[in-house]
Amino acid sequence: MSKKRDATKSKELIINNAKILFAKNGFTNSSMDSLAKMCNLNKAMIFYYYKNKQGLFEAVMIDVLDDMFKIIEVNDKKYSKPIDKLESFIKTYGKYAYEHRYFPALLLKELSSSGSVLEQQLFLNMQKLYSKFSQIIQDGQKDKSFKDANSMILYFMIIGTLNLMVTTKDLRVTASKENDIDTCANCKIEEITTYLIKKIKLLLQGEIK
Amino acid sequence: MSKKRDATKSKELIINNAKILFAKNGFTNSSMDSLAKMCNLNKAMIFYYYKNKQGLFEAVMIDVLDDMFKIIEVNDKKYSKPIDKLESFIKTYGKYAYEHRYFPALLLKELSSSGSVLEQQLFLNMQKLYSKFSQIIQDGQKDKSFKDANSMILYFMIIGTLNLMVTTKDLRVTASKENDIDTCANCKIEEITTYLIKKIKLLLQGEIK
Amino acid sequence: MSKKRDATKSKELIINNAKILFAKNGFTNSSMDSLAKMCNLNKAMIFYYYKNKQGLFEAVMIDVLDDMFKIIEVNDKKYSKPIDKLESFIKTYGKYAYEHRYFPALLLKELSSSGSVLEQQLFLNMQKLYSKFSQIIQDGQKDKSFKDANSMILYFMIIGTLNLMVTTKDLRVTASKENDIDTCANCKIEEITTYLIKKIKLLLQGEIK
Amino acid sequence: MSKKRDATKSKELIINNAKILFAKNGFTNSSMDSLAKMCNLNKAMIFYYYKNKQGLFEAVMIDVLDDMFKIIEVNDKKYSKPIDKLESFIKTYGKYAYEHRYFPALLLKELSSSGSVLEQQLFLNMQKLYSKFSQIIQDGQKDKSFKDANSMILYFMIIGTLNLMVTTKDLRVTASKENDIDTCANCKIEEITTYLIKKIKLLLQGEIK
DNA sequence: CATGAATGAGAGTTCATTCAT
DNA sequence: AATGAATGAACTCTCATTCAT
């Protein structure tokens, strides 16, 4: 009832709205003014809690990456074979990316801005995720279930594809309407991940007869 | 020999520096002030030739995409079989992306900013490139040399991977130094494209024994 | 007593200086930079309180017109006969125009800029004033005290004359000095209104013998 | 056939288009760029012929005022009695203002911008017109046909009314549509001048019985 | 006479950030 | 913990004017 909110609640309010805002407009195009309005909070409070815009952005990214990492870990433990773990990784990443459409957009944007001040900190956060993936690949190579695997390239093949498919959804729909090109406009995320998994398996285990 | 009062030179000066600037900072973070300084030209000249910032950006993108498309077309004509055309496409795209590091950054940034005003125009320009790719895939399916091919997803697997490998180069180097993870830090672009080609072939033509 | 951090004072400071500035230079030639300097306030404060230049201008006009309208209404109530109400209207308008020299300038400038974006909103504000005047004229016609009255034309005869006499004051002084023309250079505003009232009465009630 | 135009033609082209442009947008809102485009001439030519924007503006005003003065003089000579000369003056001014709608707008704007650099020069040009009017009034007083005449005030009553009626035409139409006020929206210029003449005569020759 | 290229100053507006309360 | 007022730097864009040809 009271107008006062406790610190934790205000912080959460800010970070949750920041996720939405940053994802929609990117870092530069998001204004602290509009964020404050979204939160129904005074603008100065954002700086009270987060030092500055960049600090807030990093907090958002850390939060999102942690959240995702936890889900991936939980699912990972259900399986023991590298091939199953890999499939789980792709499925979980795809689902998460789809359900948090804003997240891949942010990731791509920051990954592709060389020279930015944000990148080092961000990449550190990303490393945890990549380490997990890399471990799965290495395990698969050790037990001979994967052949000729370069984990970095494979990683980008997977997250690059999934992120792009999610972020270009609207564009692909428009393009297929206006022209007569097949852009997988109606493909569901499950179909996309299933296709990707099949192809990645082939790529790691198949042979040209 | 005179440097000033040469329209062609000034226009080129602007567009070439714009490529570098936009790629480094993205659209919003690039200021026309600093562009003018880079060109050693008066700020107003940018608007004299390109109407406004967005117009300049579009000019840059059209310029780059056309340039790239031409090179791809030239190489494409050297081959007749879809599999060779595909290999040529990947090689050329990889080489171009490497030699014009700014380009993948631009592409990723704009592709991933949903809601931007630029996207529709941009995507139209991109369609030409995708159409080319899509045709190769379809031809391969007709003559039974490719199996189970989804050209949109495959397209993103290829350009997503190449773009990310190029733009994250510095990050990957830093990461491998600080930690003990294999990030393909020293991989040359030729190695990357070769690996990618091998895997894409496997994925289109291979079977699990 | 503190001058800063007082919203009401800052807003007033801005609007009062804006009145003077707009009147002197018109809308387009008044710069927000110089307004800020006049107010000894940061330029951004203008936008903090008034959204944009046009918004500020409208606020100024509404403020002035309301202020004037209130005074006219108060004086109007002192009289019951249309002829007395009319005399009061002219006197009050003349006095106000004289005491707020900026106001007629604003009014004339904007009334005469056809095609301006401002005019519709402005005219709506002016209608209240004109309605008042128009009502007086109609009442006079009903009780046969006024003959052959066209309220629109009469209205412009009155405010046109008063506004022009006020705004051209300096010019008329200069002109009478340099040449030998009678420009009513030393006429006081009271003399002008008195003359005008006499003539308007004649025009509404007189006959050619 | 040749692209070259002679000096006289170009100068005329510029001044004629300038009249239209200045009248539509006022002094400040008219850009030399758009004027050049209207003339289908190079922008630099304007400065070649007219030194600067202000010089061009003055040339326009002088041109218009001279033109008008000549017509008034011609008509003036047709009559000998002051009362007829006065009627002729009002009729001619009204007709001219109506046919050159841009002109009164300019006049009002400049008359009301005290402090402008343009005013002195402009007022000098206007004096010729006012002198003419003033002479008529004085003659009328000498031969006792006019009573109690203040030529400056009368002058502003006449040109103020006519200018305002012409420049507010569109506004008055809009206002009468939206609200239920009589704004003389459909009044023709001839009706307006006729009414004005009648009233001015009454005001100079009538008595309250 | 005529042109397109170039310039510099300034316009309105936005925004991250800080201060006083 | 919270607010509204204030700031300064930056940004895109316009325009009168001049220069070189």
Side-chain angles (χ1 to χ4, degrees):
Chain A
M1 290 297 131
S2 74
K3 251 200 167 174
K4 281 198 179 177
R5 296 195 194 76
D6 56 304
T8 334
K9 261 196 180 159
S10 289
K11 277 191 89 169
E12 262 181 30
L13 203 60
I14 291 171
I15 226 172
N16 286 334
N17 282 298
K19 277 180 200 172
I20 297 165
L21 190 67
F22 281 141
K24 210 162 125 195
N25 309 322
F27 181 76
T28 318
N29 287 327
S30 300
S31 87
M32 302 319 254
D33 251 306
S34 52
L35 177 57
K37 251 166 228 155
M38 283 169 80
C39 299
N40 210 20
L41 252 168
N42 188 277
K43 203 185 0 170
M45 289 313 288
I46 301 170
F47 293 89
Y48 182 70
Y49 287 121
Y50 288 101
K51 184 190 176 190
N52 59 19
K53 196 185 180 185
Q54 205 156 290
L56 171 61
F57 182 77
E58 273 157 27
V60 164
M61 290 308 286
I62 289 169
D63 196 86
V64 170
L65 279 163
D66 272 8
D67 182 35
M68 187 191 204
F69 188 74
K70 274 179 201 151
I71 301 177
I72 284 182
E73 281 264 279
V74 165
N75 288 330
D76 187 77
K77 286 198 177 117
K78 296 180 190 162
Y79 306 97
S80 56
K81 282 198 284 179
I83 189 73
D84 296 329
K85 280 174 182 281
L86 178 62
E87 183 168 342
S88 167
F89 184 98
I90 297 174
K91 256 189 191 146
T92 312
Y93 188 97
K95 197 164 176 251
Y96 193 93
Y98 179 73
E99 283 167 357
H100 304 75
R101 282 165 178 253
Y102 51 85
F103 171 63
L106 280 183
L107 215 58
L108 281 188
K109 225 170 228 158
E110 296 314 319
L111 274 180
S112 58
S113 56
S114 56
S116 151
V117 207
L118 307 162
E119 55 193 15
Q120 301 297 347
Q121 176 61 28
L122 233 170
F123 199 66
L124 283 175
N125 295 334
M126 283 200 59
Q127 280 189 4
K128 245 169 77 183
L129 200 60
Y130 174 59
S131 288
K132 175 92 236 159
F133 180 82
S134 187
Q135 195 59 52
I136 295 172
I137 298 298
Q138 278 174 48
D139 291 347
Q141 280 191 301
K142 269 182 203 149
D143 72 6
K144 313 271 181 191
S145 61
F146 297 164
K147 278 175 290 186
D148 186 24
N150 180 316
S151 56
M152 190 77 252
I153 299 182
L154 288 171
Y155 185 68
F156 282 154
M157 282 181 88
I158 292 162
I159 71 159
T161 306
L162 290 173
N163 286 344
L164 281 169
M165 287 302 287
V166 168
T167 54
T168 59
K169 171 75 179 175
D170 293 347
L171 267 75
R172 287 183 290 111
V173 169
T174 314
S176 80
K177 266 182 201 152
E178 291 178 355
N179 304 65
D180 207 33
I181 315 177
D182 176 27
T183 56
C184 215
N186 299 316
C187 300
K188 300 233 162 69
I189 186 68
E190 291 83 12
E191 294 164 19
I192 295 166
T193 45
T194 304
Y195 182 80
L196 192 59
I197 288 164
K198 192 180 7 162
K199 289 304 188 185
I200 294 287
K201 277 185 183 172
L202 197 52
L203 177 161
L204 281 169
Q205 307 181 319
E207 292 171 18
I208 299 186
K209 88 216 118 156
Chain B
M1 286 300 131
S2 77
K3 253 195 167 177
K4 299 264 160 157
R5 305 256 162 201
D6 182 338
T8 327
K9 246 178 194 159
S10 293
K11 277 188 92 168
E12 266 179 24
L13 207 58
I14 291 170
I15 229 176
N16 286 335
N17 281 299
K19 280 178 196 172
I20 298 165
L21 191 67
F22 280 141
K24 208 159 126 195
N25 308 324
F27 180 77
T28 317
N29 282 327
S30 300
S31 94
M32 299 327 245
D33 248 310
S34 56
L35 177 57
K37 254 166 225 156
M38 283 169 79
C39 299
N40 208 23
L41 259 172
N42 189 279
K43 205 194 342 179
M45 288 311 287
I46 301 169
F47 297 91
Y48 182 64
Y49 287 118
Y50 293 100
K51 190 184 177 192
N52 56 23
K53 195 185 179 183
Q54 203 158 296
L56 172 61
F57 184 79
E58 273 158 27
V60 164
M61 290 307 288
I62 289 169
D63 195 87
V64 169
L65 280 164
D66 273 8
D67 184 34
M68 186 192 206
F69 188 74
K70 274 179 201 150
I71 301 177
I72 284 181
E73 282 263 279
V74 166
N75 289 330
D76 186 78
K77 285 193 178 123
K78 296 180 189 159
Y79 306 96
S80 56
K81 283 196 285 180
I83 188 73
D84 296 329
K85 279 173 182 281
L86 178 62
E87 183 168 343
S88 167
F89 185 98
I90 297 174
K91 255 189 193 148
T92 312
Y93 188 98
K95 194 161 177 255
Y96 193 92
Y98 178 73
E99 283 168 358
H100 305 75
R101 283 166 177 254
Y102 51 84
F103 172 64
L106 273 184
L107 217 57
L108 281 189
K109 233 171 221 149
E110 298 312 320
L111 273 181
S112 58
S113 57
S114 58
S116 152
V117 205
L118 307 161
E119 55 190 17
Q120 300 295 347
Q121 177 61 31
L122 231 170
F123 200 67
L124 282 174
N125 294 334
M126 284 200 59
Q127 281 188 4
K128 242 170 77 184
L129 201 60
Y130 174 60
S131 288
K132 176 91 237 158
F133 179 82
S134 186
Q135 195 58 52
I136 296 172
I137 298 298
Q138 278 175 48
D139 290 346
Q141 280 190 301
K142 270 182 202 148
D143 72 7
K144 314 272 182 188
S145 60
F146 297 164
K147 278 175 289 186
D148 186 23
N150 179 317
S151 56
M152 189 77 253
I153 299 183
L154 288 170
Y155 185 67
F156 281 155
M157 280 181 89
I158 292 162
I159 71 159
T161 307
L162 289 173
N163 286 345
L164 282 170
M165 286 302 287
V166 168
T167 53
T168 59
K169 172 74 179 176
D170 295 346
L171 268 76
R172 287 183 289 112
V173 170
T174 315
S176 80
K177 267 181 202 152
E178 290 176 357
N179 304 66
D180 205 32
I181 316 177
D182 176 27
T183 57
C184 214
N186 299 316
C187 299
K188 300 233 159 68
I189 186 69
E190 291 84 11
E191 294 163 19
I192 296 165
T193 45
T194 304
Y195 181 80
L196 192 59
I197 288 165
K198 194 183 0 165
K199 290 304 187 185
I200 295 288
K201 276 186 184 174
L202 197 52
L203 177 162
L204 281 168
Q205 307 182 319
E207 291 171 19
I208 297 185
K209 93 237 103 136
Chain C
M1 286 298 132
S2 78
K3 253 195 168 178
K4 297 264 159 158
R5 307 254 161 201
D6 182 339
T8 327
K9 248 181 192 157
S10 292
K11 276 188 92 166
E12 266 180 24
L13 207 57
I14 290 171
I15 227 173
N16 286 336
N17 282 298
K19 279 178 196 171
I20 297 164
L21 191 66
F22 280 141
K24 209 160 128 196
N25 308 324
F27 181 77
T28 318
N29 281 328
S30 300
S31 93
M32 299 326 247
D33 248 310
S34 57
L35 176 56
K37 252 165 228 156
M38 283 168 81
C39 299
N40 207 23
L41 259 172
N42 189 281
K43 204 191 348 174
M45 289 311 287
I46 301 169
F47 297 90
Y48 182 65
Y49 286 118
Y50 293 101
K51 188 184 176 192
N52 57 23
K53 195 184 180 184
Q54 202 157 296
L56 171 61
F57 183 80
E58 274 158 25
V60 164
M61 290 307 288
I62 289 169
D63 195 87
V64 170
L65 281 163
D66 273 9
D67 183 33
M68 186 191 206
F69 188 75
K70 273 180 202 149
I71 301 176
I72 283 182
E73 282 264 278
V74 165
N75 289 331
D76 187 78
K77 287 196 178 117
K78 297 181 190 157
Y79 306 97
S80 56
K81 283 197 285 180
I83 188 71
D84 296 329
K85 281 174 181 280
L86 177 63
E87 182 168 342
S88 166
F89 185 98
I90 297 174
K91 254 189 193 147
T92 312
Y93 189 98
K95 193 162 180 255
Y96 192 92
Y98 178 72
E99 283 167 358
H100 304 76
R101 285 168 175 252
Y102 51 84
F103 172 65
L106 272 183
L107 218 56
L108 279 190
K109 235 174 220 146
E110 297 314 318
L111 273 181
S112 59
S113 58
S114 58
S116 151
V117 207
L118 308 160
E119 53 192 17
Q120 301 295 346
Q121 175 60 30
L122 231 170
F123 200 67
L124 283 175
N125 293 336
M126 284 200 57
Q127 280 188 5
K128 243 170 77 183
L129 201 60
Y130 173 60
S131 288
K132 176 93 235 157
F133 179 83
S134 186
Q135 195 58 52
I136 295 172
I137 298 298
Q138 278 175 49
D139 290 347
Q141 281 191 299
K142 268 182 205 146
D143 71 7
K144 314 269 184 193
S145 60
F146 297 163
K147 278 177 290 188
D148 186 22
N150 180 316
S151 56
M152 189 79 253
I153 299 182
L154 287 170
Y155 185 67
F156 281 155
M157 282 182 87
I158 292 162
I159 72 159
T161 306
L162 290 173
N163 287 344
L164 281 170
M165 287 302 286
V166 168
T167 54
T168 58
K169 171 75 179 175
D170 295 345
L171 267 76
R172 288 184 288 111
V173 169
T174 314
S176 81
K177 268 181 200 153
E178 290 177 356
N179 303 65
D180 206 33
I181 317 176
D182 176 26
T183 56
C184 214
N186 299 316
C187 300
K188 299 233 162 65
I189 186 68
E190 291 82 10
E191 295 165 19
I192 296 165
T193 46
T194 304
Y195 181 80
L196 192 59
I197 288 164
K198 193 181 4 161
K199 290 303 188 186
I200 294 287
K201 278 186 182 170
L202 197 52
L203 177 161
L204 280 169
Q205 306 182 320
E207 289 173 22
I208 297 185
K209 92 237 106 136
Chain D
M1 290 293 134
S2 74
K3 253 199 165 173
K4 281 196 178 180
R5 297 196 194 74
D6 55 307
T8 333
K9 262 196 179 158
S10 289
K11 277 190 91 167
E12 264 181 29
L13 203 60
I14 290 170
I15 229 173
N16 286 335
N17 282 297
K19 278 180 199 170
I20 298 165
L21 190 67
F22 280 141
K24 210 161 125 197
N25 309 322
F27 180 76
T28 317
N29 287 327
S30 299
S31 88
M32 300 321 252
D33 251 304
S34 54
L35 177 57
K37 249 166 230 156
M38 282 170 81
C39 298
N40 211 21
L41 254 169
N42 187 277
K43 204 186 359 172
M45 290 312 290
I46 300 169
F47 292 89
Y48 182 72
Y49 287 119
Y50 288 101
K51 184 189 175 192
N52 58 20
K53 196 184 178 183
Q54 206 155 289
L56 171 61
F57 182 77
E58 273 157 25
V60 165
M61 290 306 286
I62 290 169
D63 196 86
V64 171
L65 280 163
D66 272 8
D67 183 35
M68 188 191 203
F69 189 74
K70 275 178 201 150
I71 301 176
I72 284 182
E73 281 265 278
V74 165
N75 288 330
D76 187 77
K77 287 197 177 117
K78 296 181 190 160
Y79 306 96
S80 57
K81 282 197 285 179
I83 189 73
D84 295 329
K85 282 175 181 280
L86 177 62
E87 182 168 343
S88 168
F89 184 98
I90 297 175
K91 257 191 191 144
T92 312
Y93 189 97
K95 196 164 177 252
Y96 194 91
Y98 179 72
E99 284 167 358
H100 304 75
R101 282 166 180 252
Y102 51 85
F103 170 65
L106 280 185
L107 215 58
L108 282 189
K109 225 170 229 159
E110 296 314 317
L111 273 180
S112 59
S113 56
S114 56
S116 153
V117 207
L118 306 162
E119 56 192 14
Q120 301 296 347
Q121 175 61 30
L122 234 169
F123 199 67
L124 283 174
N125 295 334
M126 283 199 60
Q127 280 189 6
K128 245 168 76 184
L129 200 61
Y130 174 60
S131 289
K132 176 91 236 158
F133 180 83
S134 187
Q135 195 56 53
I136 296 172
I137 298 298
Q138 278 175 47
D139 291 347
Q141 280 191 300
K142 269 185 203 143
D143 71 6
K144 315 269 182 192
S145 60
F146 296 163
K147 279 175 289 187
D148 186 22
N150 180 314
S151 57
M152 191 77 253
I153 299 182
L154 288 171
Y155 184 67
F156 281 153
M157 281 182 89
I158 292 161
I159 72 157
T161 307
L162 290 174
N163 287 345
L164 281 170
M165 286 303 285
V166 168
T167 54
T168 59
K169 172 73 179 176
D170 294 346
L171 267 76
R172 287 184 289 110
V173 169
T174 315
S176 79
K177 266 181 200 153
E178 290 176 357
N179 304 64
D180 207 32
I181 316 177
D182 176 26
T183 56
C184 214
N186 299 316
C187 299
K188 299 235 161 66
I189 185 69
E190 290 83 10
E191 295 164 20
I192 296 166
T193 44
T194 304
Y195 182 81
L196 192 57
I197 287 164
K198 192 182 5 162
K199 289 303 188 186
I200 294 289
K201 276 186 183 171
L202 196 52
L203 175 162
L204 280 170
Q205 307 182 319
E207 292 172 18
I208 298 188
K209 87 214 119 159

